[in-house]
Amino acid sequence: MGSRKPLIAGNWKMHGRAADLAEIGALAETIGAAGSKIDVLICPPAAFVQSAAWQNRAGPILIGAQDCSPNAADAARTGEISAAMFADAGARYVIVGHSERRQIHGETDVLVRQKAGAAIEAGLTPIVCVGETQAERSAGRVAEIVSSQVRGSVPGQGAFVVAYEPVWAIGGSSTPTLAEIAEVHALIRETLAAQFGGQANDMRILYGGSVNPKNASEIFAVDGVDGALVGRASLKAADFSAIILGHPAAA
Ligand code: PGA
């Protein structure tokens, strides 16, 4: 068993305006001392990463980006933002391989791994998302899909985080059972151990998909769950702080 500091990350997706960055300041106040025991991260839209990082430079809330270019070097890539630019703007983490990127933008494991590698090269910690669709779950293919996404998407070296996000649980109201979450987290750690050996015990694996203030604490208590990746319930400080304060480490 490694020593893994919990990480609770908010993915704002394409929500919010500059004025909503005040929620991050409110969050910092509400969580108080829990901010030193748990890594709390907000990933606002790219347009707001720099101002969010500047506003929260005194801590404890960390700022991250959502997605980055696979290109490490500056290049002619209209509309893309490199991991180095996000690092320069004050980001510490970047979410890669989210199911919305995989499904809407057709991102493959190969591309996700390139993005994760570019993030590490820039000094960011990538949060690599994996997860099965409802059809894959119904067909009994969870283990096959999740382990192959992990093998194909995580970088070969450097520190990274894996987020298990069943696609069918994102943006809805249902989550897997606690036993199912435990099972997939164990599978992901075994998959990582096959590649990285004992280091896998130090790697954080988050659960994501319809985490809310009501279900968070029971999910945090599941063996092998090192925190959460939260969408909707991270937009308002009131909801997100209730989730964070529900973590056993916050007590
Ligand atoms: P949700 O989104 O919490 O709104 O279900 C989670 C995610 O997509 O990261």
Side-chain angles (χ1 to χ4, degrees):
M1 183 67 192
S3 58
R4 303 188 297 264
K5 189 176 183 187
L7 169 62
I8 304 181
N11 173 11
W12 281 12
K13 308 188 181 183
M14 199 172 77
H15 294 285
R17 297 290 183 274
D20 296 301
L21 298 181
E23 292 293 326
I24 309 176
L27 180 68
E29 281 190 23
T30 321
I31 63 168
S36 63
K37 298 173 199 150
I38 297 170
D39 285 336
V40 178
L41 173 71
I42 293 280
C43 300
F48 306 126
V49 165
Q50 184 161 32
S51 44
W54 176 251
Q55 285 175 29
N56 294 281
R57 63 195 179 282
I61 314 288
L62 304 167
I63 301 300
Q66 311 165 17
D67 194 45
C68 65
S69 174
N71 254 70
D74 288 12
R77 295 284 185 278
T78 302
E80 290 204 24
I81 304 171
S82 71
M85 292 167 185
F86 280 127
D88 211 8
R92 305 277 297 276
Y93 288 78
V94 58
I95 298 166
V96 295
H98 189 278
S99 69
E100 288 149 17
R101 302 291 317 176
R102 291 180 187 264
Q103 296 201 320
I104 303 169
H105 301 274
E107 294 196 3
T108 61
D109 288 341
V110 170
L111 180 63
V112 174
R113 170 184 270 162
Q114 284 170 357
K115 291 181 173 193
I120 287 173
E121 205 175 309
L124 300 182
T125 302
I127 299 175
V128 181
C129 304
V130 298
E132 82 286 356
T133 62
Q134 183 61 65
E136 288 161 346
R137 177 164 280 266
S138 304
R141 299 179 61 207
V142 177
E144 171 204 338
I145 295 294
V146 171
S147 60
S148 88
Q149 285 182 349
V150 170
R151 282 195 300 272
S153 311
V154 301
Q157 56 188 24
F160 61 86
V161 174
V162 175
Y164 169 53
E165 297 207 302
V167 179
W168 53 273
I170 294 173
S173 53
S174 54
T175 61
T177 65
L178 301 177
E180 286 166 342
I181 293 175
E183 198 180 322
V184 179
H185 278 242
L187 167 86
I188 292 172
R189 201 169 304 282
E190 272 166 36
T191 307
L192 293 170
Q195 189 175 347
F196 299 97
Q199 274 179 41
N201 284 328
D202 299 323
M203 295 174 173
R204 294 181 291 186
I205 305 173
L206 313 182
Y207 170 78
S210 293
V211 175
N212 61 47
K214 287 203 178 75
N215 63 18
S217 53
E218 61 181 19
I219 292 172
F220 291 144
V222 172
D223 203 32
V225 171
D226 302 311
L229 180 55
V230 183
R232 288 155 294 165
S234 71
L235 295 170
K236 294 285 171 213
D239 295 330
F240 201 37
S241 62
I243 288 173
I244 294 159
L245 295 172
H247 195 288

